Amino acid sequence: MAHVAMPVDKIEPSYLEVTTNTHKGLLGWILSVDHKRIGLLYLYTMLAFFFVAVGFGFMIRLELISPGKTFIDAQTYNQFFTLHGIIMIFLFIIPGLPAVFGNFFLPIMIGAKDVIFPRVNLLSWYLFITGGLVAVAGWLLPGGSADTGWMFYVPYSVRTTTNVLPALTAAFLLGFSSILTGINFITTIHRMRAPGMSWFRLPLFIWSLYATAWVQVLATPIIGITLALVIIERTLGVGIFDPVLGGDPVLYQHLFWIYSHPAVYIMILPAMGIVSEIIPVFARRTIFGYKFIAFSSIAIAFFGSLVWAHHMFTAGMSDTAMFVFSFITFIVSIPSAIKVFNWVSTLYKGSIQADPPLLYVLSFIFQFSIGGFTGLMLGALSVNIHLQDTSFVVAHFHYVMFGGTGFGIFAAMHYWFPKMFGRMYNMKVATWAWAIVTFGYNLLYFPMFIMGYLGMPRRYYDYLPEFQPYHFASTIGSWILILGLIIMFTNLFVGMRRGAKTPKNPWGGETLEWTTQTPPIVENFHEVPTVTTGPYDYSEYEVAKKEGT
Ligand code: HEM
Ligand SMILES: [Cu+2]
């Protein structure tokens, strides 16, 4: 661990009490350029949007509990899953780890007092909150919210009478927020590292954020331009994508997925980073294959940018093109598998501390593996033709995005909670919540694999009676999952207000954030730390264990 000068017993007011301006109350928060406060602003607003989107998920599932109409009509059903998908992707999963935990912990983990562009950082949150409000505003306008699905496929998104413009504008603004965060992180990692913090001493969460930031900066402008073109076509009637206007709808799909597939790595890479952070701490073992894990993040970002058309195997591409995209899709699974292999190798023979952060990581590994394997199935041309646009695909992306990144966010919340708030949540309740969430989650999505394989289409409001047992189980699963989420968030909220005070390093972590005061001071460190070793060095612990002392 790093050498960090820390005046003994000098506790200063934390970032929760003072900040970078003199304002008190709300203004002290929304005008603060302190990366920790900006991280919390993202956390609270992101969770508010998450709860709204979970509400839509709950209602979608409730409608599907039995064939025919349950409580909403088909048009409302289309609007619910569209807003559910838009919010979950652009306002929860994409900002979840980079904008919340990256903002809070990246500067501390590299030994810096803030990101390099603090005002740009605050601007990225303003864009985030504006984009979020615009996304839901469509609901309040005549015609109601968009019913296109979160992919805004043309020509329907050019022709639909619902309010697709606010949703398109929201995604455009949120893309900018993501780009600014990426620029901030790349420049900060290059320029703000503490003395001795060389690249191979960087925590793996930082490597994953670095790879993610390059995808944010290089891929996001493409979706921005594409959505702007749909807005132009819709408002000015210029033919770009709509065949009636001489446009090409398949071109839209290429442009959309050239961003949206790499976007899944903006979602999963930081979650993989948090898993690499937590496993060594709760296994008390030095991570297995540090450099392989670090470089596999870069490899995933690179190869992940070359597979976008595997979403279009039923869109009429040439066999050669389909063969190439299918082949590269298999290649991308290799660096992901390297990570899973190294995580499991680190756990093997470790001194396992089964606390909530590790429990969510174990669920991550189980669910992400199912998501990964079914991704390989969908990458195989013959299987894809059969499963495209079925609920098998819906199960697949929920296993990678929710079962992966979502559970990664839950793991990060439970891991860094004591450092962020200086208090601890109830461990027993947290463990029960984890069990209920994990069980409900798998009961909700696993039946979707089976019925999708049997031919249940996605985005259908009604279905044949033979699918009902699966839908019934899946809906019950959603209730159990949501019950677990309510227990989890209530426990964290109570912990934040009344939890027991924690020491600065309750888990025995070996990275810089565990050396700071708890909660940290505004400048993070009393003086710039000097880094002398790599992260996760548990060699002493392992030797002692071997000697049985
Ligand atoms: C309580 C939690 C959730 C429930 C009950 C739920 C349920 C569902 C269901 C049933 C659908 C399929 C609708 C259909 O095709 O007819 C769906 C679609 C979707 N869900 Fe979730 N989901 C939840 C959480 C999430 C999370 C955390 C994400 C994060 C990425 C997510 C992202 C999506 C997306 C992108 C779609 C596709 C929407 C579209 O077709 O345009 N969901 N969800
Ligand atoms: Cu893809």
Side-chain angles (χ1 to χ4, degrees):
M1 177 183 287
H3 161 69
V4 179
M6 178 83 167
V8 180
D9 300 329
K10 180 170 169 247
I11 298 294
E12 281 183 39
S14 81
Y15 78 98
L16 292 169
E17 293 140 302
V18 292
T19 192
T20 52
N21 60 49
T22 54
H23 297 288
K24 289 277 170 267
L26 182 65
L27 276 185
W29 281 85
I30 61 173
L31 295 177
S32 170
V33 292
D34 173 4
H35 67 97
K36 298 176 288 300
R37 284 201 170 193
I38 295 173
L40 285 194
L41 287 173
Y42 268 110
L43 177 67
Y44 300 142
T45 44
M46 175 197 83
L47 287 180
F49 289 120
F50 174 65
F51 297 145
V52 170
V54 167
F56 284 122
F58 170 80
M59 292 192 279
I60 297 171
R61 280 280 19 130
L62 184 59
E63 175 52 39
L64 291 170
I65 195 166
S66 63
K69 179 174 181 173
T70 307
F71 76 109
I72 54 174
D73 60 21
Q75 178 58 13
T76 311
Y77 181 85
N78 294 349
Q79 289 169 311
F80 277 6
F81 71 62
T82 300
L83 208 47
H84 168 78
I86 290 171
I87 296 177
M88 282 298 188
I89 294 226
F90 294 107
L91 289 151
F92 176 60
I93 289 291
I94 287 182
L97 282 158
V100 175
F101 298 101
N103 246 319
F104 198 107
F105 285 99
L106 184 154
I108 304 178
M109 292 172 91
I110 66 171
K113 69 179 179 55
D114 208 311
V115 294
I116 197 159
F117 307 124
R119 286 187 187 77
V120 172
N121 206 13
L122 185 58
L123 172 64
S124 73
W125 180 71
Y126 289 158
L127 285 167
F128 173 78
I129 191 79
T130 313
L133 295 174
V134 170
V136 290
W139 204 260
L140 309 169
L141 300 169
S145 179
D147 63 346
T148 57
W150 79 277
M151 304 165 191
F152 303 115
Y153 267 18
V154 299
Y156 187 65
S157 61
V158 174
R159 299 182 194 157
T160 176
T161 54
T162 58
N163 290 303
V164 72
L165 281 180
L168 289 165
T169 312
F172 184 85
L173 292 173
L174 292 161
F176 254 101
S177 169
S178 183
I179 294 170
L180 294 178
T181 304
I183 292 171
N184 232 325
F185 285 5
I186 290 171
T187 322
T188 303
I189 294 169
H190 275 275
R191 304 301 307 272
M192 305 276 281
R193 281 172 286 129
M197 180 62 88
S198 59
W199 284 90
F200 291 129
R201 285 185 178 156
L202 282 174
L204 289 162
F205 182 57
I206 306 301
W207 272 99
S208 73
L209 288 176
Y210 184 71
T212 304
W214 276 109
V215 181
Q216 284 173 297
V217 170
L218 296 177
T220 314
I222 299 168
I223 188 90
I225 296 160
T226 308
L227 298 179
L229 289 174
V230 177
I231 293 173
I232 290 168
E233 185 162 21
R234 209 183 143 81
T235 49
L236 305 178
V238 182
I240 303 165
F241 300 125
D242 190 339
V244 171
L245 301 170
D248 177 357
V250 177
L251 169 65
Y252 173 86
Q253 294 187 26
H254 278 291
L255 289 173
F256 178 83
W257 287 111
I258 285 174
Y259 162 75
S260 299
H261 184 85
V264 304
Y265 298 116
I266 296 176
M267 301 171 199
I268 202 69
L269 277 168
M272 290 168 158
I274 189 66
V275 171
S276 301
E277 282 306 316
I278 290 175
I279 285 182
V281 177
F282 293 86
R284 289 282 185 274
R285 288 200 67 196
T286 306
I287 193 109
F288 185 92
Y290 170 93
K291 284 189 179 162
F292 275 93
I293 295 181
F295 283 130
S296 65
S297 295
I298 306 291
I300 288 173
F302 175 72
F303 286 108
S305 310
L306 305 174
V307 295
W308 73 87
H310 66 207
H311 294 270
M312 300 163 58
F313 286 153
T314 55
M317 286 193 302
S318 73
D319 290 355
T320 317
M322 294 215 284
F323 171 73
V324 171
F325 281 107
S326 172
F327 178 69
I328 309 177
T329 299
F330 293 131
I331 301 272
V332 176
S333 65
I334 298 169
S336 303
I338 286 173
K339 284 183 188 283
V340 175
F341 175 79
N342 287 356
W343 293 329
V344 174
S345 307
T346 309
L347 286 167
Y348 179 65
K349 289 197 175 164
S351 312
I352 305 294
Q353 190 80 21
D355 290 330
L358 185 72
L359 295 175
Y360 281 105
V361 159
L362 297 179
S363 299
F364 172 101
I365 294 177
F366 171 68
Q367 288 150 189
F368 176 69
S369 302
I370 292 176
F373 288 129
T374 51
L376 287 176
M377 289 169 72
L378 288 165
L381 296 172
S382 53
V383 180
N384 183 284
I385 307 292
H386 172 63
L387 295 174
Q388 174 72 331
D389 272 341
T390 70
S391 64
F392 187 97
V393 174
V394 175
H396 161 69
F397 67 65
H398 280 98
Y399 264 87
V400 271
M401 295 201 288
F402 190 3
T405 305
F407 276 66
I409 293 171
F410 300 156
M413 273 196 307
H414 286 84
Y415 179 54
W416 278 319
F417 184 94
K419 183 54 70 175
M420 295 165 91
F421 302 109
R423 292 176 183 275
M424 187 54 91
Y425 45 82
N426 182 312
M427 294 279 254
K428 202 175 253 126
V429 176
T431 304
W432 273 108
W434 162 77
I436 298 171
V437 164
T438 302
F439 175 73
Y441 172 90
N442 285 287
L443 183 59
L444 162 57
Y445 296 113
F446 206 86
M448 290 187 195
F449 280 127
I450 304 169
M451 59 180 155
Y453 195 78
L454 296 173
M456 171 70 202
R458 66 182 290 190
R459 294 178 171 161
Y460 270 43
Y461 162 79
D462 196 359
Y463 52 84
L464 298 171
E466 59 258 43
F467 291 119
Q468 207 221 346
Y470 304 105
H471 274 297
F472 186 80
S474 180
T475 299
I476 302 294
S478 72
W479 297 351
I480 298 171
L481 166 69
I482 292 168
L483 171 69
L485 290 175
I486 293 170
I487 299 172
M488 179 179 87
F489 283 109
T490 311
N491 185 41
L492 291 175
F493 184 73
V494 172
M496 201 169 94
R497 316 289 293 193
R498 294 201 301 259
K501 289 258 162 89
T502 61
K504 68 178 181 184
N505 190 1
W507 311 121
E510 283 278 329
T511 36
L512 276 181
E513 76 272 27
W514 300 111
T515 66
T516 67
Q517 179 185 305
T518 296
I521 59 174
V522 174
E523 289 79 17
N524 300 336
F525 301 94
H526 291 82
E527 41 186 84
V528 178
T530 308
V531 178
T532 51
T533 61
Y536 332 115
D537 180 7
Y538 289 97
S539 50
E540 275 165 44
Y541 191 92
E542 290 174 82
V543 170
K545 190 179 153 200
K546 271 207 194 91
E547 291 162 1
T549 53

